[in-house]
Amino acid sequence: MADLSAEVWCGSWWTVRLDDNDGDGWREYDDAVPVVATTLELLAEHGPLGPVWWRFGRPGRHSLVEALENPDNRAAYDERQKAREKKVRQEHRELMRTLACVDCGDVPKEETTWVYGSRQWTRRPGGRCWTCHKERNERLEREAEEQLEAARAANASLRPCWTCRGSIGGKAGSWLELTEEAGPDRLECPQCAADRETEELGPLMLPVPTKRELVAALVSTPADPWWEDRVLHAELYPARGRRV
């Protein structure tokens, strides 16, 4: 009887597609007739006010008042939807706390923000907000520039490259100049040293000091910035053992 009369008592099913509700919804009973049933045995045992009534379409036995209520109505759905939305907001707050900026501690309201019109900035755990990220990049650029200037100043105080007569640190603005500070015993810039190795020219051999230069060195210091290394090379590589 319940199955055959379902269209009379079941009501109509409704849902809100825009809600993130996993297909949940409610029933409207405006045009439906609630039907309840019981047995004489249950009435004799519990009476008409006891849990003896079965509402068509609902499991279990209920009192008459409970059987005539509609627990699957819109109000019940709204309560469930509020609970779901509250859970989503809580999970979102917990996620946002993991995205706190490591520098300023700012907790974002959204994972992705927009800066400078159409540029998108996405936060990451252990990352930085856009402001701190920009300030950090500017600071790193300043430090890199200061490092470059310090390397240039240190290289400028040394003698020039023997081969190209340029800075011993390399060409101004080159990657080698930025990343490598010349040692006091270097004779060639990195580019000339690399070219010498590529062309298999062997180690650099400085000219042996002449007798006139050696005599002049006893009176005054030679103006040649490579003088000490030329003397040292002459001792390490005598003229007879040199390769032409």
Side-chain angles (χ1 to χ4, degrees), residues 158-163 165 186-187 205-210 213-214 216-217 220-233:
L158 302 176
R159 57 177 167 262
C161 171
W162 170 267
T163 303
R165 297 303 195 263
R186 179 184 291 177
L187 298 176
M205 294 295 178
L206 301 185
V208 176
T210 64
E213 288 176 327
L214 292 172
S220 61
T221 303
D224 185 354
W226 298 278
W227 175 256
E228 294 181 0
D229 289 278
R230 288 178 60 192
V231 175
L232 179 60
H233 270 227

PDB file of all heavy atoms in Angstrom, residues 158-163 165 186-187 205-210 213-214 216-217 220-233:
ATOM      1  N   LEU A 158      94.635  45.331  -7.036  1.00  0.00           N
ATOM      2  CA  LEU A 158      95.665  44.394  -7.462  1.00  0.00           C
ATOM      3  C   LEU A 158      96.220  44.798  -8.822  1.00  0.00           C
ATOM      4  O   LEU A 158      95.685  45.670  -9.498  1.00  0.00           O
ATOM      5  CB  LEU A 158      95.071  42.977  -7.522  1.00  0.00           C
ATOM      6  CG  LEU A 158      94.459  42.443  -6.222  1.00  0.00           C
ATOM      7  CD1 LEU A 158      93.819  41.081  -6.469  1.00  0.00           C
ATOM      8  CD2 LEU A 158      95.502  42.353  -5.127  1.00  0.00           C
ATOM      9  N   ARG A 159      97.277  44.143  -9.206  1.00  0.00           N
ATOM     10  CA  ARG A 159      97.848  44.431 -10.519  1.00  0.00           C
ATOM     11  C   ARG A 159      96.903  43.964 -11.614  1.00  0.00           C
ATOM     12  O   ARG A 159      96.076  43.068 -11.395  1.00  0.00           O
ATOM     13  CB  ARG A 159      99.193  43.715 -10.665  1.00  0.00           C
ATOM     14  CG  ARG A 159      99.080  42.224 -10.474  1.00  0.00           C
ATOM     15  CD  ARG A 159     100.403  41.518 -10.705  1.00  0.00           C
ATOM     16  NE  ARG A 159     100.299  40.147 -10.217  1.00  0.00           N
ATOM     17  CZ  ARG A 159     100.730  39.748  -9.033  1.00  0.00           C
ATOM     18  NH1 ARG A 159     101.289  40.626  -8.207  1.00  0.00           N
ATOM     19  NH2 ARG A 159     100.619  38.487  -8.657  1.00  0.00           N
ATOM     20  N   PRO A 160      97.000  44.532 -12.823  1.00  0.00           N
ATOM     21  CA  PRO A 160      96.098  44.134 -13.915  1.00  0.00           C
ATOM     22  C   PRO A 160      96.473  42.766 -14.487  1.00  0.00           C
ATOM     23  O   PRO A 160      97.478  42.172 -14.116  1.00  0.00           O
ATOM     24  CB  PRO A 160      96.299  45.241 -14.950  1.00  0.00           C
ATOM     25  CG  PRO A 160      97.683  45.744 -14.685  1.00  0.00           C
ATOM     26  CD  PRO A 160      97.894  45.643 -13.202  1.00  0.00           C
ATOM     27  N   CYS A 161      95.628  42.279 -15.390  1.00  0.00           N
ATOM     28  CA  CYS A 161      95.891  41.010 -16.074  1.00  0.00           C
ATOM     29  C   CYS A 161      97.133  41.159 -16.956  1.00  0.00           C
ATOM     30  O   CYS A 161      97.283  42.146 -17.685  1.00  0.00           O
ATOM     31  CB  CYS A 161      94.671  40.620 -16.906  1.00  0.00           C
ATOM     32  SG  CYS A 161      94.945  39.205 -18.012  1.00  0.00           S
ATOM     33  N   TRP A 162      98.060  40.177 -16.900  1.00  0.00           N
ATOM     34  CA  TRP A 162      99.288  40.241 -17.677  1.00  0.00           C
ATOM     35  C   TRP A 162      98.999  40.212 -19.174  1.00  0.00           C
ATOM     36  O   TRP A 162      99.647  40.912 -19.954  1.00  0.00           O
ATOM     37  CB  TRP A 162     100.186  39.071 -17.298  1.00  0.00           C
ATOM     38  CG  TRP A 162     101.372  38.918 -18.213  1.00  0.00           C
ATOM     39  CD1 TRP A 162     101.466  38.142 -19.335  1.00  0.00           C
ATOM     40  CD2 TRP A 162     102.611  39.592 -18.091  1.00  0.00           C
ATOM     41  NE1 TRP A 162     102.680  38.268 -19.917  1.00  0.00           N
ATOM     42  CE2 TRP A 162     103.433  39.169 -19.164  1.00  0.00           C
ATOM     43  CE3 TRP A 162     103.137  40.504 -17.174  1.00  0.00           C
ATOM     44  CZ2 TRP A 162     104.714  39.627 -19.335  1.00  0.00           C
ATOM     45  CZ3 TRP A 162     104.427  40.942 -17.355  1.00  0.00           C
ATOM     46  CH2 TRP A 162     105.196  40.520 -18.426  1.00  0.00           C
ATOM     47  N   THR A 163      97.990  39.443 -19.600  1.00  0.00           N
ATOM     48  CA  THR A 163      97.744  39.237 -21.024  1.00  0.00           C
ATOM     49  C   THR A 163      96.953  40.376 -21.648  1.00  0.00           C
ATOM     50  O   THR A 163      97.352  40.939 -22.674  1.00  0.00           O
ATOM     51  CB  THR A 163      97.007  37.903 -21.240  1.00  0.00           C
ATOM     52  OG1 THR A 163      97.774  36.849 -20.669  1.00  0.00           O
ATOM     53  CG2 THR A 163      96.799  37.638 -22.718  1.00  0.00           C
ATOM     54  N   ARG A 165      95.828  43.195 -19.952  1.00  0.00           N
ATOM     55  CA  ARG A 165      96.057  44.454 -19.225  1.00  0.00           C
ATOM     56  C   ARG A 165      94.767  45.046 -18.645  1.00  0.00           C
ATOM     57  O   ARG A 165      94.715  46.193 -18.251  1.00  0.00           O
ATOM     58  CB  ARG A 165      96.741  45.496 -20.115  1.00  0.00           C
ATOM     59  CG  ARG A 165      98.137  45.110 -20.584  1.00  0.00           C
ATOM     60  CD  ARG A 165      99.052  44.809 -19.401  1.00  0.00           C
ATOM     61  NE  ARG A 165     100.448  44.789 -19.770  1.00  0.00           N
ATOM     62  CZ  ARG A 165     101.142  43.687 -20.042  1.00  0.00           C
ATOM     63  NH1 ARG A 165     100.534  42.523 -20.014  1.00  0.00           N
ATOM     64  NH2 ARG A 165     102.410  43.751 -20.347  1.00  0.00           N
ATOM     65  N   ARG A 186      97.262  35.981  -8.519  1.00  0.00           N
ATOM     66  CA  ARG A 186      96.776  35.736  -9.876  1.00  0.00           C
ATOM     67  C   ARG A 186      97.497  36.648 -10.859  1.00  0.00           C
ATOM     68  O   ARG A 186      97.696  37.840 -10.596  1.00  0.00           O
ATOM     69  CB  ARG A 186      95.269  35.977  -9.947  1.00  0.00           C
ATOM     70  CG  ARG A 186      94.692  35.752 -11.344  1.00  0.00           C
ATOM     71  CD  ARG A 186      93.224  36.077 -11.426  1.00  0.00           C
ATOM     72  NE  ARG A 186      92.415  35.116 -10.685  1.00  0.00           N
ATOM     73  CZ  ARG A 186      91.095  35.203 -10.554  1.00  0.00           C
ATOM     74  NH1 ARG A 186      90.454  36.224 -11.099  1.00  0.00           N
ATOM     75  NH2 ARG A 186      90.431  34.304  -9.877  1.00  0.00           N
ATOM     76  N   LEU A 187      97.821  36.100 -12.017  1.00  0.00           N
ATOM     77  CA  LEU A 187      98.508  36.858 -13.058  1.00  0.00           C
ATOM     78  C   LEU A 187      97.597  37.201 -14.225  1.00  0.00           C
ATOM     79  O   LEU A 187      97.838  38.190 -14.921  1.00  0.00           O
ATOM     80  CB  LEU A 187      99.718  36.075 -13.578  1.00  0.00           C
ATOM     81  CG  LEU A 187     100.815  35.783 -12.550  1.00  0.00           C
ATOM     82  CD1 LEU A 187     101.895  34.933 -13.190  1.00  0.00           C
ATOM     83  CD2 LEU A 187     101.397  37.073 -11.990  1.00  0.00           C
ATOM     84  N   MET A 205     104.321  31.963 -18.542  1.00  0.00           N
ATOM     85  CA  MET A 205     105.720  32.177 -18.181  1.00  0.00           C
ATOM     86  C   MET A 205     106.052  33.656 -18.313  1.00  0.00           C
ATOM     87  O   MET A 205     105.967  34.218 -19.409  1.00  0.00           O
ATOM     88  CB  MET A 205     106.646  31.344 -19.087  1.00  0.00           C
ATOM     89  CG  MET A 205     106.501  29.849 -18.901  1.00  0.00           C
ATOM     90  SD  MET A 205     107.013  29.336 -17.257  1.00  0.00           S
ATOM     91  CE  MET A 205     106.669  27.578 -17.359  1.00  0.00           C
ATOM     92  N   LEU A 206     106.386  34.309 -17.219  1.00  0.00           N
ATOM     93  CA  LEU A 206     106.735  35.726 -17.261  1.00  0.00           C
ATOM     94  C   LEU A 206     108.175  35.885 -17.763  1.00  0.00           C
ATOM     95  O   LEU A 206     109.028  35.009 -17.572  1.00  0.00           O
ATOM     96  CB  LEU A 206     106.594  36.340 -15.873  1.00  0.00           C
ATOM     97  CG  LEU A 206     105.218  36.258 -15.241  1.00  0.00           C
ATOM     98  CD1 LEU A 206     105.203  37.019 -13.920  1.00  0.00           C
ATOM     99  CD2 LEU A 206     104.145  36.785 -16.166  1.00  0.00           C
ATOM    100  N   PRO A 207     108.487  37.003 -18.410  1.00  0.00           N
ATOM    101  CA  PRO A 207     109.856  37.237 -18.919  1.00  0.00           C
ATOM    102  C   PRO A 207     110.867  37.259 -17.775  1.00  0.00           C
ATOM    103  O   PRO A 207     110.602  37.803 -16.698  1.00  0.00           O
ATOM    104  CB  PRO A 207     109.741  38.598 -19.598  1.00  0.00           C
ATOM    105  CG  PRO A 207     108.291  38.785 -19.859  1.00  0.00           C
ATOM    106  CD  PRO A 207     107.566  38.086 -18.769  1.00  0.00           C
ATOM    107  N   VAL A 208     112.018  36.653 -18.017  1.00  0.00           N
ATOM    108  CA  VAL A 208     113.088  36.661 -17.019  1.00  0.00           C
ATOM    109  C   VAL A 208     113.655  38.074 -16.901  1.00  0.00           C
ATOM    110  O   VAL A 208     113.884  38.750 -17.912  1.00  0.00           O
ATOM    111  CB  VAL A 208     114.203  35.679 -17.436  1.00  0.00           C
ATOM    112  CG1 VAL A 208     115.369  35.736 -16.459  1.00  0.00           C
ATOM    113  CG2 VAL A 208     113.649  34.270 -17.539  1.00  0.00           C
ATOM    114  N   PRO A 209     113.847  38.586 -15.684  1.00  0.00           N
ATOM    115  CA  PRO A 209     114.419  39.942 -15.535  1.00  0.00           C
ATOM    116  C   PRO A 209     115.791  40.027 -16.183  1.00  0.00           C
ATOM    117  O   PRO A 209     116.622  39.112 -16.058  1.00  0.00           O
ATOM    118  CB  PRO A 209     114.500  40.121 -14.014  1.00  0.00           C
ATOM    119  CG  PRO A 209     113.510  39.157 -13.459  1.00  0.00           C
ATOM    120  CD  PRO A 209     113.502  37.989 -14.395  1.00  0.00           C
ATOM    121  N   THR A 210     116.035  41.113 -16.883  1.00  0.00           N
ATOM    122  CA  THR A 210     117.344  41.318 -17.508  1.00  0.00           C
ATOM    123  C   THR A 210     118.347  41.739 -16.456  1.00  0.00           C
ATOM    124  O   THR A 210     117.996  42.118 -15.340  1.00  0.00           O
ATOM    125  CB  THR A 210     117.247  42.386 -18.598  1.00  0.00           C
ATOM    126  OG1 THR A 210     116.887  43.637 -17.987  1.00  0.00           O
ATOM    127  CG2 THR A 210     116.198  42.010 -19.635  1.00  0.00           C
ATOM    128  N   GLU A 213     117.766  45.266 -15.366  1.00  0.00           N
ATOM    129  CA  GLU A 213     116.639  45.396 -14.434  1.00  0.00           C
ATOM    130  C   GLU A 213     117.036  44.929 -13.039  1.00  0.00           C
ATOM    131  O   GLU A 213     116.644  45.539 -12.030  1.00  0.00           O
ATOM    132  CB  GLU A 213     115.439  44.590 -14.936  1.00  0.00           C
ATOM    133  CG  GLU A 213     114.754  45.195 -16.150  1.00  0.00           C
ATOM    134  CD  GLU A 213     113.632  44.314 -16.684  1.00  0.00           C
ATOM    135  OE1 GLU A 213     113.752  43.079 -16.597  1.00  0.00           O
ATOM    136  OE2 GLU A 213     112.632  44.881 -17.186  1.00  0.00           O
ATOM    137  N   LEU A 214     117.845  43.862 -12.963  1.00  0.00           N
ATOM    138  CA  LEU A 214     118.271  43.364 -11.659  1.00  0.00           C
ATOM    139  C   LEU A 214     119.165  44.368 -10.961  1.00  0.00           C
ATOM    140  O   LEU A 214     119.071  44.569  -9.736  1.00  0.00           O
ATOM    141  CB  LEU A 214     118.998  42.024 -11.818  1.00  0.00           C
ATOM    142  CG  LEU A 214     118.125  40.846 -12.267  1.00  0.00           C
ATOM    143  CD1 LEU A 214     119.003  39.630 -12.564  1.00  0.00           C
ATOM    144  CD2 LEU A 214     117.094  40.508 -11.197  1.00  0.00           C
ATOM    145  N   ALA A 216     119.142  47.649 -11.503  1.00  0.00           N
ATOM    146  CA  ALA A 216     118.305  48.796 -11.127  1.00  0.00           C
ATOM    147  C   ALA A 216     117.457  48.486  -9.896  1.00  0.00           C
ATOM    148  O   ALA A 216     117.167  49.361  -9.077  1.00  0.00           O
ATOM    149  CB  ALA A 216     117.416  49.194 -12.295  1.00  0.00           C
ATOM    150  N   ALA A 217     117.090  47.226  -9.724  1.00  0.00           N
ATOM    151  CA  ALA A 217     116.243  46.848  -8.585  1.00  0.00           C
ATOM    152  C   ALA A 217     116.997  46.952  -7.270  1.00  0.00           C
ATOM    153  O   ALA A 217     116.380  47.074  -6.203  1.00  0.00           O
ATOM    154  CB  ALA A 217     115.723  45.437  -8.768  1.00  0.00           C
ATOM    155  N   SER A 220     116.395  50.945  -6.525  1.00  0.00           N
ATOM    156  CA  SER A 220     115.009  51.375  -6.286  1.00  0.00           C
ATOM    157  C   SER A 220     114.047  50.260  -6.701  1.00  0.00           C
ATOM    158  O   SER A 220     114.403  49.398  -7.499  1.00  0.00           O
ATOM    159  CB  SER A 220     114.703  52.653  -7.070  1.00  0.00           C
ATOM    160  OG  SER A 220     114.846  52.424  -8.473  1.00  0.00           O
ATOM    161  N   THR A 221     112.841  50.333  -6.163  1.00  0.00           N
ATOM    162  CA  THR A 221     111.827  49.330  -6.488  1.00  0.00           C
ATOM    163  C   THR A 221     111.339  49.536  -7.917  1.00  0.00           C
ATOM    164  O   THR A 221     110.938  50.646  -8.279  1.00  0.00           O
ATOM    165  CB  THR A 221     110.640  49.432  -5.526  1.00  0.00           C
ATOM    166  OG1 THR A 221     111.118  49.280  -4.192  1.00  0.00           O
ATOM    167  CG2 THR A 221     109.609  48.358  -5.821  1.00  0.00           C
ATOM    168  N   PRO A 222     111.355  48.502  -8.747  1.00  0.00           N
ATOM    169  CA  PRO A 222     110.876  48.649 -10.142  1.00  0.00           C
ATOM    170  C   PRO A 222     109.398  49.036 -10.187  1.00  0.00           C
ATOM    171  O   PRO A 222     108.614  48.669  -9.309  1.00  0.00           O
ATOM    172  CB  PRO A 222     111.109  47.267 -10.741  1.00  0.00           C
ATOM    173  CG  PRO A 222     112.142  46.626  -9.858  1.00  0.00           C
ATOM    174  CD  PRO A 222     111.893  47.160  -8.488  1.00  0.00           C
ATOM    175  N   ALA A 223     109.033  49.771 -11.213  1.00  0.00           N
ATOM    176  CA  ALA A 223     107.637  50.181 -11.395  1.00  0.00           C
ATOM    177  C   ALA A 223     106.775  49.053 -11.965  1.00  0.00           C
ATOM    178  O   ALA A 223     105.557  49.187 -12.033  1.00  0.00           O
ATOM    179  CB  ALA A 223     107.563  51.401 -12.320  1.00  0.00           C
ATOM    180  N   ASP A 224     107.426  47.989 -12.369  1.00  0.00           N
ATOM    181  CA  ASP A 224     106.698  46.865 -12.950  1.00  0.00           C
ATOM    182  C   ASP A 224     105.873  46.166 -11.858  1.00  0.00           C
ATOM    183  O   ASP A 224     106.441  45.630 -10.896  1.00  0.00           O
ATOM    184  CB  ASP A 224     107.705  45.880 -13.548  1.00  0.00           C
ATOM    185  CG  ASP A 224     107.021  44.728 -14.288  1.00  0.00           C
ATOM    186  OD1 ASP A 224     105.770  44.651 -14.222  1.00  0.00           O
ATOM    187  OD2 ASP A 224     107.726  43.920 -14.906  1.00  0.00           O
ATOM    188  N   PRO A 225     104.521  46.138 -11.966  1.00  0.00           N
ATOM    189  CA  PRO A 225     103.709  45.493 -10.914  1.00  0.00           C
ATOM    190  C   PRO A 225     103.908  43.986 -10.830  1.00  0.00           C
ATOM    191  O   PRO A 225     103.539  43.370  -9.839  1.00  0.00           O
ATOM    192  CB  PRO A 225     102.273  45.833 -11.337  1.00  0.00           C
ATOM    193  CG  PRO A 225     102.341  46.084 -12.795  1.00  0.00           C
ATOM    194  CD  PRO A 225     103.696  46.691 -13.040  1.00  0.00           C
ATOM    195  N   TRP A 226     104.477  43.398 -11.883  1.00  0.00           N
ATOM    196  CA  TRP A 226     104.700  41.949 -11.885  1.00  0.00           C
ATOM    197  C   TRP A 226     106.136  41.596 -11.485  1.00  0.00           C
ATOM    198  O   TRP A 226     106.553  40.453 -11.638  1.00  0.00           O
ATOM    199  CB  TRP A 226     104.432  41.388 -13.276  1.00  0.00           C
ATOM    200  CG  TRP A 226     103.019  41.585 -13.749  1.00  0.00           C
ATOM    201  CD1 TRP A 226     101.924  40.820 -13.457  1.00  0.00           C
ATOM    202  CD2 TRP A 226     102.562  42.615 -14.610  1.00  0.00           C
ATOM    203  NE1 TRP A 226     100.813  41.304 -14.053  1.00  0.00           N
ATOM    204  CE2 TRP A 226     101.160  42.433 -14.795  1.00  0.00           C
ATOM    205  CE3 TRP A 226     103.157  43.709 -15.240  1.00  0.00           C
ATOM    206  CZ2 TRP A 226     100.382  43.261 -15.569  1.00  0.00           C
ATOM    207  CZ3 TRP A 226     102.391  44.537 -16.024  1.00  0.00           C
ATOM    208  CH2 TRP A 226     101.014  44.324 -16.177  1.00  0.00           C
ATOM    209  N   TRP A 227     106.925  42.554 -10.982  1.00  0.00           N
ATOM    210  CA  TRP A 227     108.355  42.343 -10.759  1.00  0.00           C
ATOM    211  C   TRP A 227     108.626  41.153  -9.823  1.00  0.00           C
ATOM    212  O   TRP A 227     109.422  40.271 -10.148  1.00  0.00           O
ATOM    213  CB  TRP A 227     108.988  43.614 -10.185  1.00  0.00           C
ATOM    214  CG  TRP A 227     110.432  43.421  -9.811  1.00  0.00           C
ATOM    215  CD1 TRP A 227     110.953  43.275  -8.573  1.00  0.00           C
ATOM    216  CD2 TRP A 227     111.527  43.301 -10.716  1.00  0.00           C
ATOM    217  NE1 TRP A 227     112.298  43.086  -8.621  1.00  0.00           N
ATOM    218  CE2 TRP A 227     112.686  43.103  -9.939  1.00  0.00           C
ATOM    219  CE3 TRP A 227     111.663  43.333 -12.106  1.00  0.00           C
ATOM    220  CZ2 TRP A 227     113.948  42.945 -10.492  1.00  0.00           C
ATOM    221  CZ3 TRP A 227     112.916  43.194 -12.657  1.00  0.00           C
ATOM    222  CH2 TRP A 227     114.039  43.005 -11.865  1.00  0.00           C
ATOM    223  N   GLU A 228     107.986  41.117  -8.690  1.00  0.00           N
ATOM    224  CA  GLU A 228     108.242  40.038  -7.732  1.00  0.00           C
ATOM    225  C   GLU A 228     107.919  38.681  -8.334  1.00  0.00           C
ATOM    226  O   GLU A 228     108.643  37.703  -8.101  1.00  0.00           O
ATOM    227  CB  GLU A 228     107.431  40.265  -6.458  1.00  0.00           C
ATOM    228  CG  GLU A 228     107.845  41.498  -5.675  1.00  0.00           C
ATOM    229  CD  GLU A 228     107.034  41.668  -4.405  1.00  0.00           C
ATOM    230  OE1 GLU A 228     106.153  40.805  -4.157  1.00  0.00           O
ATOM    231  OE2 GLU A 228     107.265  42.633  -3.663  1.00  0.00           O
ATOM    232  N   ASP A 229     106.830  38.623  -9.123  1.00  0.00           N
ATOM    233  CA  ASP A 229     106.475  37.345  -9.744  1.00  0.00           C
ATOM    234  C   ASP A 229     107.451  36.986 -10.861  1.00  0.00           C
ATOM    235  O   ASP A 229     107.723  35.801 -11.086  1.00  0.00           O
ATOM    236  CB  ASP A 229     105.044  37.422 -10.283  1.00  0.00           C
ATOM    237  CG  ASP A 229     104.029  37.446  -9.163  1.00  0.00           C
ATOM    238  OD1 ASP A 229     103.689  36.375  -8.643  1.00  0.00           O
ATOM    239  OD2 ASP A 229     103.591  38.541  -8.794  1.00  0.00           O
ATOM    240  N   ARG A 230     107.966  37.984 -11.549  1.00  0.00           N
ATOM    241  CA  ARG A 230     108.964  37.695 -12.594  1.00  0.00           C
ATOM    242  C   ARG A 230     110.234  37.115 -11.968  1.00  0.00           C
ATOM    243  O   ARG A 230     110.812  36.154 -12.499  1.00  0.00           O
ATOM    244  CB  ARG A 230     109.283  38.953 -13.373  1.00  0.00           C
ATOM    245  CG  ARG A 230     108.168  39.411 -14.305  1.00  0.00           C
ATOM    246  CD  ARG A 230     108.545  40.704 -14.996  1.00  0.00           C
ATOM    247  NE  ARG A 230     109.771  40.544 -15.792  1.00  0.00           N
ATOM    248  CZ  ARG A 230     110.467  41.569 -16.318  1.00  0.00           C
ATOM    249  NH1 ARG A 230     110.042  42.820 -16.105  1.00  0.00           N
ATOM    250  NH2 ARG A 230     111.547  41.339 -17.020  1.00  0.00           N
ATOM    251  N   VAL A 231     110.646  37.664 -10.837  1.00  0.00           N
ATOM    252  CA  VAL A 231     111.826  37.141 -10.142  1.00  0.00           C
ATOM    253  C   VAL A 231     111.574  35.720  -9.656  1.00  0.00           C
ATOM    254  O   VAL A 231     112.426  34.829  -9.792  1.00  0.00           O
ATOM    255  CB  VAL A 231     112.202  38.065  -8.969  1.00  0.00           C
ATOM    256  CG1 VAL A 231     113.359  37.454  -8.153  1.00  0.00           C
ATOM    257  CG2 VAL A 231     112.603  39.441  -9.479  1.00  0.00           C
ATOM    258  N   LEU A 232     110.379  35.510  -9.100  1.00  0.00           N
ATOM    259  CA  LEU A 232     110.035  34.175  -8.610  1.00  0.00           C
ATOM    260  C   LEU A 232     109.969  33.167  -9.754  1.00  0.00           C
ATOM    261  O   LEU A 232     110.468  32.039  -9.640  1.00  0.00           O
ATOM    262  CB  LEU A 232     108.700  34.218  -7.877  1.00  0.00           C
ATOM    263  CG  LEU A 232     108.181  32.881  -7.328  1.00  0.00           C
ATOM    264  CD1 LEU A 232     109.170  32.297  -6.320  1.00  0.00           C
ATOM    265  CD2 LEU A 232     106.813  33.049  -6.701  1.00  0.00           C
ATOM    266  N   HIS A 233     109.395  33.568 -10.891  1.00  0.00           N
ATOM    267  CA  HIS A 233     109.324  32.685 -12.055  1.00  0.00           C
ATOM    268  C   HIS A 233     110.713  32.362 -12.575  1.00  0.00           C
ATOM    269  O   HIS A 233     110.962  31.236 -13.035  1.00  0.00           O
ATOM    270  CB  HIS A 233     108.484  33.343 -13.156  1.00  0.00           C
ATOM    271  CG  HIS A 233     107.030  33.005 -13.073  1.00  0.00           C
ATOM    272  ND1 HIS A 233     106.296  32.613 -14.150  1.00  0.00           N
ATOM    273  CD2 HIS A 233     106.184  32.993 -12.009  1.00  0.00           C
ATOM    274  CE1 HIS A 233     105.046  32.383 -13.775  1.00  0.00           C
ATOM    275  NE2 HIS A 233     104.961  32.612 -12.475  1.00  0.00           N
TER     276      HIS A 233
END
